Amino acid sequence: MKSHIILGSILGFLLGAGVSLAEQCSWPTALWRACVAALLLAVLTRWWSRIWLQSLNDAIRQRRHAAANPPAKTKPVVKT
């Protein structure tokens, strides 16, 4: 999870700095905006990765349960 947060903060910082410099803001303003963008994207990445990892764990748990408990075979019904 920490790697997701770090990746999100790096992407947020680069995105915030890039947009600020594209708008031709001063360096202090660009740095401030980049830091805020890094924080916001890190929080969003943490939230998203938590949901994603929880979904993966649920899928693995369901597969293990299905493998341990195969469905019961039913006898065919013969009509006479």
Side-chain angles (χ1 to χ4, degrees):
M1 174 116 45
K2 288 182 183 180
S3 60
H4 293 133
I5 295 171
I6 292 170
L7 179 64
S9 62
I10 290 171
L11 290 174
F13 187 85
L14 292 175
L15 184 66
V19 170
S20 294
L21 293 175
E23 291 179 353
Q24 297 179 348
C25 293
S26 63
W27 278 102
T29 303
L31 181 64
W32 183 82
R33 288 181 180 179
C35 290
V36 170
L39 176 66
L40 291 176
L41 204 56
V43 170
L44 285 174
T45 306
R46 179 177 181 242
W47 169 77
W48 176 81
S49 65
R50 182 176 289 172
I51 291 174
W52 182 61
L53 289 173
Q54 186 178 17
S55 297
L56 283 176
N57 286 333
D58 288 344
I60 290 170
R61 194 176 304 117
Q62 286 176 358
R63 283 190 181 184
R64 286 182 182 165
H65 179 72
N69 302 322
K73 293 183 179 180
T74 58
K75 294 182 181 180
V77 176
V78 179
K79 293 184 180 181
T80 57

